Amino acid sequence: PETEWRALGLDPARFTLIYAGIMNPPQGLDVLLDATVKLRAAAPDLAARFQLAMIGAGSERARLVARVENEGLGDVVRFVAEQPRDAIPPLLRTAGAIAVTLRPRKDTHTVPSKLNEAMASGRPVLVSADGAPAEILREAQAGLATPASDADALAASIRALLEDPARAQAFGEAGRAYAAAF
């Protein structure tokens, strides 16, 4: 996987939080960039071992790319072109963690299909969403859930995984077992 990661412009030595999916307004992806900024400010030593990989396409991608350039986040945030569907599971299985985000919304019952795929990967999942996605993640004990758009809480979750690899591994194993039961 190391050569694959390098081919995608990613550093295989860093803890990589992957967001893989459509980049449209409902996903509320700014929370990932905001959390990255907060992590860098609060724990520069940990931030130096971290990267955010945003894989996919969508109406928000160009704006997010511009924001990363404008805020000097290019050393930490990498945008990867949309990948073939069958290329995503192997990438997820080698990630440090997987992000599932939704912006605040009235309908909190919607569960993104990527949540089950993320848990099935055996990697810890960070959910930034209200309602059902967070409840499922907590029930599965597969990662850390934070309220939608709460960048401070998401940054703290990223930091928790970086500081405690054994806990991160336990989350991943629990998620895989939970997903396999369905």
Side-chain angles (χ1 to χ4, degrees), residues 24-78:
N24 286 342
Q27 283 68 47
L29 295 171
D30 282 292
V31 72
L32 292 169
L33 302 183
D34 295 341
T36 299
V37 169
K38 291 175 182 299
L39 176 68
R40 183 192 266 176
D45 54 323
L46 289 176
R49 296 189 292 121
F50 170 79
Q51 69 187 336
L52 170 62
M54 299 190 64
I55 303 170
S59 65
E60 289 281 278
R61 182 178 168 117
R63 184 187 64 76
L64 294 166
V65 168
R67 183 178 163 196
V68 165
E69 290 169 4
N70 293 339
E71 295 182 26
L73 295 172
D75 59 322
V76 184
V77 181
R78 300 277 186 262

Side-chain angles (χ1 to χ4, degrees), residues 111-127:
V111 179
S113 59
K114 70 177 63 140
L115 179 58
N116 198 51
E117 185 177 18
M119 290 192 300
S121 75
R123 307 305 305 146
V125 180
L126 297 179
V127 166

Side-chain angles (χ1 to χ4, degrees), residues 81-156:
E82 192 171 10
Q83 298 295 303
R85 187 85 189 102
D86 61 346
I88 298 299
L91 285 171
L92 297 182
R93 286 193 295 272
T94 54
I98 301 162
V100 177
T101 63
L102 288 173
R103 72 176 181 200
R105 51 199 290 159
K106 287 185 175 73
D107 165 24
T108 59
H109 301 296
T110 299
V111 179
S113 59
K114 70 177 63 140
L115 179 58
N116 198 51
E117 185 177 18
M119 290 192 300
S121 75
R123 307 305 305 146
V125 180
L126 297 179
V127 166
S128 173
D130 301 319
E135 291 162 18
I136 290 168
L137 188 74
R138 287 188 195 103
E139 179 184 314
Q141 299 179 352
L144 299 169
T146 56
S149 297
D150 186 338
D152 288 310
L154 183 57

Side-chain angles (χ1 to χ4, degrees), residues 162-174:
L162 281 162
E163 290 175 335
D164 192 347
R167 184 177 182 207
Q169 184 176 347
F171 282 144
E173 291 167 3

